[in-house]
Amino acid sequence: MKALLVDDEKHVRDAIRLLGHWEDFGIDTLLEAADGDEAIAAITAHQPQIILSDMRMPGKDGMALLEWISAHAPHSKVLVISGYDDFELVRHAIRHGGMDYLLKPVEADELNASLLKAVTAWEEEDAIRIQSTRQSIVVNRMRPHYQDRLLTELAVGRGSSPSHMQRLQDELNLPCLIPVCSVAVTSLSHLDADCLAKYRSQPDLLVFSVLNICAEMLSTPDEGVMFRQLDQPDEIVLLHWGPSTSLEHILDKVNHGLEQTIQRRLHFGISICESYPGGISAAYLEASSRLWRRNAVQIKQRTHASVESSNGNKIRRLTAHEEPLRMAAMSCRASSVAAAVAEWLDPITDLEVVSAEQIQQWIDELEWMLSHWLDDTAGSSFNEEEVTEERSIPFAELPLDYEGLLSFPLLRSLLEQRLLAAGKALTAHHHANPDPMSEIARYMDAHYQEDLSLQQIAARFYLSREYISRKFKQQFGLNWSEYLGKLRINNAKLLLQNPSLRVAKISEMVGFQDEKYFSKVFKKMEGITPAEYRKTVFQPGT
């Protein structure tokens, strides 16, 4: 801690330096100044926490210095040491933040008592400032997520009540009257693997890039809003307060911006909301369906306002071919695996219509088969990373090309590589995963605000739910849901220290969808309700 002595008489500064118990108060640096101008220079350069100043000095005197301090260094604690017992000087000192007014010659006990009071006041206020900064960081980090949560609730049909719409209005300043609304949905899972690989270590940067481009095309809330659909982290939704024709023009500009930024264009499903806000959910589902049911073997446009007919094509399910694929995998021969994959895949290459939804279904079937095979060998020791490379990007990686169309060579390669890896895991003995439960815990630490489920975590880390439940409890002494609840409650306790945040808002910000349930969980873990906890924080002396 630093202190500054300001007096035009050096012998006075020397006396004060000798009288003060500086080290006892944690003051390890003593600065000096002979007048107000030197003091301002020292304060600007060194930012001392405690300032002791005379009032009558040549040049800029103590009165002018206190005025400057109150405007430019308001957190500093000022003690006035003067030879003048003048009411106007005392009043001026108090008005501009002086903590005490000591008369020369000052006594040691009097000086040190005032120093103790000043140091204590500064430390208490500094602790409050640090806490406030931490709260601001948490709130600023959560605010975009909170807005996305409100809009997600609206889109999925859980948030069209008057109270919810009022919160949206308060947060986003939406237009009071919205006569027509168009909805667009895109998915980052429709990008090719090369593009996604660039963002593997920073997936949120990809999301931010897309959201930023969309925001540039929606210059004000009067035109529309865009958000990340938190129930489907790969989806971005755009609500436009206007007809679909103007929405398509906006999406063309969005894709032009994306091509300049990430060198790709996205596909969008679009729909019209017949009645806002109640019809948003149906329009969102329709737009999402049109995106996923687009034809992924031919490209005609990037915006999809309808679903292309499959002309009666019967798509072959991968699981219908499970046994030949499993036997080929267990042979551990690349030629046998390639032949089994070709038997299933070759007829599909002649189809004129294959939807993105169908591609996702094939990938889901592949994951289910591999998980099923590995679960059946749970008693043996193998490395599941041999079967599935760890994925840090939270999007499905589909075998798509640069244009977002199905690449049959990529699909063939994906199937062959995964099956060969599965065969190796099924027929050989390997060491167990180094520490997958710690990876899951770190993921939960970063995403506790989201609607996490064991199924989502299992899919992300390519482990069975039963395996995670058993191993997580063994390693951490808590099951995954207890661990998640503890994370949320600990962050809620921090936010409850901000009196301007309502309990209902805090509940949503830490991942609870229902305030009553939040209060119930909080009381179970802490023994008191959130409101009672907040009262203990703000009790005098705490």
Side-chain angles (χ1 to χ4, degrees):
M1 185 176 289
K2 301 174 184 177
L4 172 65
L5 309 180
V6 187
D7 198 293
D8 60 315
E9 298 180 280
K10 186 178 185 305
H11 72 274
V12 173
R13 301 198 302 269
D14 291 342
I16 295 173
R17 180 186 287 271
L18 291 172
L19 292 173
H21 300 162
W22 310 105
E23 292 184 1
D24 293 345
F25 302 129
I27 298 173
D28 53 19
T29 303
L30 269 178
L31 308 166
E32 294 188 17
D35 57 37
D37 291 320
E38 287 186 14
I40 290 173
I43 295 168
T44 303
H46 302 285
Q47 300 178 348
Q49 291 86 357
I50 310 298
I51 301 171
L52 301 92
S53 177
D54 191 9
M55 290 298 278
R56 300 293 192 194
M57 296 179 291
K60 188 182 290 292
D61 64 9
M63 295 177 69
L65 176 60
L66 260 63
E67 292 177 12
W68 185 91
I69 291 173
S70 66
H72 298 92
H75 298 319
S76 298
K77 297 303 171 188
V78 180
L79 302 178
V80 174
I81 301 178
S82 175
Y84 297 90
D85 187 5
D86 187 315
F87 175 73
E88 287 301 322
L89 291 179
V90 174
R91 187 170 69 171
H92 189 88
I94 294 174
R95 182 184 301 162
H96 292 92
M99 284 197 66
D100 216 337
Y101 194 99
L102 308 179
L103 290 174
K104 299 177 182 176
V106 65
E107 298 291 335
D109 290 344
E110 185 181 20
L111 172 64
N112 287 301
S114 294
L115 278 173
L116 176 60
K117 183 168 66 172
V119 169
T120 302
W122 189 90
E123 290 177 341
E124 289 176 351
E125 292 177 11
D126 190 55
I128 293 172
R129 286 192 292 271
I130 292 172
Q131 184 69 8
S132 178
T133 300
R134 291 177 59 200
Q135 291 170 356
S136 296
I137 291 172
V138 172
V139 170
N140 290 335
R141 186 170 63 238
M142 291 182 176
R143 193 172 195 86
H145 181 86
Y146 177 63
Q147 293 174 349
D148 286 350
R149 170 53 55 202
L150 291 175
L151 289 163
T152 294
E153 297 296 316
L154 176 65
V156 301
R158 297 195 298 262
S160 59
S161 66
S163 61
H164 189 92
M165 297 307 297
Q166 184 59 54
R167 276 183 285 169
L168 268 175
Q169 178 67 34
D170 294 342
E171 283 287 328
L172 299 168
N173 194 29
L174 302 183
C176 295
L177 179 63
I178 300 177
V180 60
C181 175
S182 302
V183 182
V185 177
T186 190
S187 171
L188 302 182
S189 295
H190 289 224
L191 292 167
D192 59 285
D194 286 343
C195 180
L196 293 177
K198 296 177 182 178
Y199 298 91
R200 187 177 301 279
S201 62
Q202 293 180 298
D204 286 340
L205 180 58
L206 176 59
V207 177
F208 173 80
S209 298
V210 177
L211 288 173
N212 192 43
I213 293 297
C214 291
E216 289 180 7
M217 303 308 140
L218 296 174
S219 54
T220 68
D222 289 336
E223 191 172 3
V225 294
M226 80 297 166
F227 60 96
R228 189 177 189 179
Q229 209 280 66
L230 297 180
D231 289 355
Q232 297 289 338
D234 61 328
E235 278 192 359
I236 290 174
V237 182
L238 191 150
L239 305 181
H240 169 56
W241 321 132
S244 58
T245 51
S246 59
L247 173 60
E248 291 185 29
H249 177 66
I250 291 172
L251 296 179
D252 285 342
K253 292 195 295 181
V254 167
N255 265 330
H256 179 73
L258 290 173
E259 192 164 39
Q260 300 298 314
T261 306
I262 65 172
Q263 291 74 55
R264 296 294 189 276
R265 289 175 175 257
L266 281 165
H267 289 267
F268 291 87
I270 61 175
S271 181
I272 295 294
C273 173
E274 299 295 341
S275 59
Y276 179 87
I280 283 289
S281 177
Y284 158 73
L285 290 174
E286 184 64 30
S288 180
S289 175
R290 289 171 178 175
L291 170 68
W292 282 95
R293 296 176 68 186
R294 68 180 176 88
N295 187 3
V297 295
Q298 295 179 10
I299 186 167
K300 296 180 180 179
Q301 66 278 321
R302 294 282 180 173
T303 56
H304 306 276
S306 61
V307 176
E308 187 170 343
S309 172
S310 63
N311 297 321
N313 291 337
K314 186 175 181 180
I315 301 296
R316 304 183 71 186
R317 296 192 61 180
L318 188 63
T319 49
H321 207 65
E322 178 181 2
E323 189 58 22
L325 292 172
R326 188 175 72 86
M327 296 303 295
M330 292 189 68
S331 74
C332 292
R333 294 174 57 88
S335 58
S336 298
V337 170
V341 169
E343 183 180 352
W344 173 78
L345 183 59
D346 285 350
I348 296 173
T349 60
D350 296 327
L351 297 178
E352 295 182 355
V353 177
V354 176
S355 69
E357 182 179 54
Q358 182 60 64
I359 300 171
Q360 180 65 70
Q361 181 177 326
W362 289 333
I363 301 303
D364 289 342
E365 288 180 318
L366 174 64
E367 304 299 348
W368 180 88
M369 286 193 307
L370 296 180
S371 177
H372 176 63
W373 299 348
L374 295 174
D375 281 347
D376 284 347
T377 59
S380 64
S381 173
F382 60 84
N383 187 343
E384 293 187 34
E385 288 183 357
E386 295 276 345
V387 185
T388 61
E389 163 186 352
E390 180 185 348
R391 280 171 36 188
S392 59
I393 198 161
F395 318 128
E397 295 186 45
L398 304 179
L400 304 176
D401 64 14
Y402 179 92
E403 298 288 350
L405 298 181
L406 171 61
S407 168
F408 286 107
L410 285 177
L411 177 58
R412 189 184 304 273
S413 176
L414 170 67
L415 292 171
E416 291 178 359
Q417 290 178 15
R418 297 293 301 282
L419 289 169
L420 281 170
K424 184 178 180 181
L426 288 165
T427 57
H429 295 284
H430 301 278
H431 294 293
N433 270 335
D435 194 6
M437 296 304 110
S438 291
E439 290 294 323
I440 291 173
R442 282 192 287 271
Y443 178 78
M444 292 169 69
D445 290 345
H447 298 271
Y448 67 89
Q449 310 100 322
E450 302 173 13
D451 290 333
L452 296 180
S453 69
L454 184 57
Q455 177 61 40
Q456 291 171 328
I457 294 173
R460 176 181 174 79
F461 288 90
Y462 291 119
L463 298 170
S464 70
R465 289 175 295 180
E466 294 77 12
Y467 179 81
I468 293 174
S469 294
R470 183 176 68 255
K471 291 294 185 180
F472 199 93
K473 181 68 176 289
Q474 289 175 358
Q475 186 160 332
F476 292 98
L478 299 170
N479 63 42
W480 79 274
S481 60
E482 291 170 337
Y483 185 92
L484 178 60
K486 186 176 180 181
L487 272 175
R488 288 172 168 171
I489 295 304
N490 285 341
N491 280 276
K493 287 165 64 178
L494 179 61
L495 293 175
L496 283 165
Q497 296 177 39
N498 184 342
S500 64
L501 289 175
R502 295 181 293 106
V503 172
K505 187 170 184 178
I506 291 172
S507 169
E508 294 186 19
M509 291 173 74
V510 298
F512 287 92
Q513 303 307 308
D514 181 81
E515 181 185 356
K516 292 182 179 178
Y517 181 63
F518 165 63
S519 296
K520 180 179 179 181
V521 174
F522 192 100
K523 185 170 184 179
K524 181 178 179 181
M525 295 183 65
E526 300 297 325
I528 55 176
T529 66
E532 291 168 341
Y533 176 83
R534 172 170 275 172
K535 289 180 181 178
T536 66
V537 170
F538 293 104
Q539 282 180 354
T542 63

